[in-house]
Amino acid sequence: MASSTAVKAASKTKPIQGVDRVATLLLAMGKPAASRLLKHFNPEEIKLITRSAAELGPVSPSQLESLIEEFAAEFSNGASLLGTAGEVEKLLSGVLPPDQIAELMTDVLGNSNRSIWDRISVVSESALAAYLMKEHPQTAALILSKVKPACAAKVMGHLPQPLRNGLMRRMLAFKPIVDETMRNIEKTIHEDFMINLSRNMGADTHAKMADIINKMERDHMEDVLQSLTEVRPKSAEILKGLLFTFDDIVNLTPRARTALFDQIPNDRVVLALKGTDDMFRDVILSSLASRVRRMVEHELNGREPASQRDVLDARRAITDLALEMAGRGEIELSSENEGDTYIR
C-alpha cells in the first residue's frame, strides 16, 4: 500500500525550522540559561515553544551545530539531545506556576497524540500534493480519503487533472479495512510520510528563497546571488538551480511553451518581447498560434515605445504563470537545452 522507503529508511531526523529552532536552542542551553530567557516570552509564545519542544524528537550533533552557527555562536561540537514532553516539563519547572505548566502540558500531550491523518491535514497542501504525486495512486487515494475534507480539496487543486480524477474513482471504490490492517498502514504511512517530507523540507526552504529571488529586480537578484556565493556558496548553487526567469522560457519544451502562451494576453506577449534578440523572439513566436503570431509580429514591427517598467512587469507576470502551472503539474520547467541562456 505505502512505498517501501518507510521500511528501508534509517534516519528519522528532520530539518529544524520555525519555532523548532527556538525550542532546540533552549533545550541545548539547559535549564538555568533557558529559564532566564523564557521569562521574556509571552504566554502564547511559551505555549508554541512548549508544543514544539515536546514534539521535537531527536536532534543530531550536526543539526545542532549548524543551527548554532546560523545564530553566529562559536560552538564547534553540538551535543545530541532529545526533545520530549518530559524534558520540556522539567525545563518549565520553577519558571512557571504549576497550574500553568499543567495546562500547557495537557495541551501539548493532546497535540502530540494526534492521529497521523490530523498531522498530515495541517501540512502545506503543495507539499502534500508533491508527496502524493510520487506515491502509488492507491496510497495517495487512501491518504486523501483519511485527511480532513478541506485539506483533501486543497490538495486536489494542486494535482494534474488525470491524476485527480483517477484518485476520486479510487476513493469511491474503497472497501472497509480491518482495524489491525489500518493500524499497520497508518504506522507505515506515518514513517514514510514524515521521512519523505523531512527530506524535502530543506529543499523547500531553498525553493521559498528561490521564489522570493525570482520576484526581485534583475539587478537585485544578481546582487543577492553574488553575496550568497561569497558567504554560502553551496546554498547559492542550489538556488541558482531552482531559479526560473523569463530568460529560461526558451528552454521549455515546445509543448510547455505553447500551453503557457495559450493563457497569456497578446498585449502582454508584445510587451514582454520588447527588446529581446531575434533568436529569443523567434523561439517564443514559434509557440503561438498562426493568427496570434501575426498579430504579435505586427505590433512588434510597429515599434511602439514601452516603458522598461511595463516590459519587466509583463515578463514577470509570464514567469509567475509558468511557475504556477508547474506547481499544478500542468507543465515541467526542465530545460530541453540545458545550459543555454539568453541574456538581453
Side-chain angles (χ1 to χ4, degrees), residues 216-232:
M216 288 181 172
E217 300 291 345
R218 184 67 180 247
D219 291 346
H220 295 168
M221 176 190 295
E222 293 175 353
D223 182 62
V224 166
L225 289 174
Q226 179 61 36
S227 176
L228 283 173
T229 299
E230 296 171 358
V231 180
R232 304 180 74 93

Side-chain angles (χ1 to χ4, degrees), residues 26-92:
L26 287 172
L27 286 170
M29 288 177 186
K31 185 175 177 178
S35 298
R36 291 194 296 270
L37 286 176
L38 280 170
K39 293 176 182 178
H40 296 280
F41 291 95
N42 63 42
E44 187 60 30
E45 290 170 338
I46 293 176
K47 186 175 182 179
L48 290 172
I49 294 169
T50 303
R51 180 182 293 117
S52 173
E55 296 182 347
L56 189 60
V59 177
S60 68
S62 60
Q63 286 180 299
L64 184 56
E65 186 173 338
S66 176
L67 179 59
I68 293 171
E69 179 186 359
E70 288 185 32
F71 281 85
E74 297 297 328
F75 298 165
S76 60
N77 294 299
S80 180
L81 59 87
L82 177 66
T84 64
E87 287 297 317
V88 76
E89 188 171 8
K90 286 193 293 184
L91 186 66
L92 293 173

Side-chain angles (χ1 to χ4, degrees), residues 123-138:
V123 170
S124 160
E125 56 265 22
S126 59
L128 181 51
Y131 170 81
L132 294 181
M133 283 191 284
K134 297 176 183 177
E135 293 300 304
H136 188 283
Q138 193 73 0

Side-chain angles (χ1 to χ4, degrees), residues 167-180:
L167 293 180
M168 290 296 289
R169 289 193 294 270
R170 288 176 180 271
M171 291 165 68
L172 286 170
F174 271 136
K175 295 180 179 179
I177 302 175
V178 297
D179 291 346
E180 183 63 28

Side-chain angles (χ1 to χ4, degrees), residues 190-321:
H190 172 78
E191 294 173 351
D192 186 30
F193 183 79
M194 297 310 292
I195 291 170
N196 277 281
L197 183 63
S198 66
R199 282 187 185 139
N200 292 330
M201 283 181 72
D204 188 53
T205 299
H206 287 95
K208 289 178 180 176
M209 290 303 300
D211 188 43
I212 293 172
I213 295 173
N214 265 326
K215 291 177 171 55
M216 288 181 172
E217 300 291 345
R218 184 67 180 247
D219 291 346
H220 295 168
M221 176 190 295
E222 293 175 353
D223 182 62
V224 166
L225 289 174
Q226 179 61 36
S227 176
L228 283 173
T229 299
E230 296 171 358
V231 180
R232 304 180 74 93
K234 290 184 179 179
S235 290
E237 195 64 29
I238 293 172
L239 284 170
K240 288 176 182 177
L242 292 171
L243 291 177
F244 182 83
T245 66
F246 186 72
D247 297 341
D248 298 315
I249 288 176
V250 294
N251 295 326
L252 297 178
T253 63
R255 179 178 296 180
R257 284 198 303 271
T258 298
L260 172 63
F261 282 96
D262 277 349
Q263 301 187 38
I264 300 171
N266 296 349
D267 58 344
R268 182 169 293 166
V269 177
V270 172
L271 274 174
L273 291 179
K274 293 280 188 180
T276 56
D277 60 48
D278 292 340
M279 185 181 298
F280 184 96
R281 185 175 298 184
D282 288 343
V283 173
I284 300 303
L285 291 174
S286 69
S287 306
L288 308 178
S290 299
R291 183 179 61 84
V292 175
R293 175 172 182 162
R294 287 194 297 270
M295 294 174 61
V296 171
E297 285 179 322
H298 176 74
E299 292 291 332
L300 288 172
N301 291 333
R303 304 293 181 183
E304 286 290 330
S307 70
Q308 185 67 8
R309 168 58 59 186
D310 289 341
V311 170
L312 292 176
D313 286 347
R315 292 177 181 177
R316 179 164 298 165
I318 294 173
T319 303
D320 288 346
L321 178 59

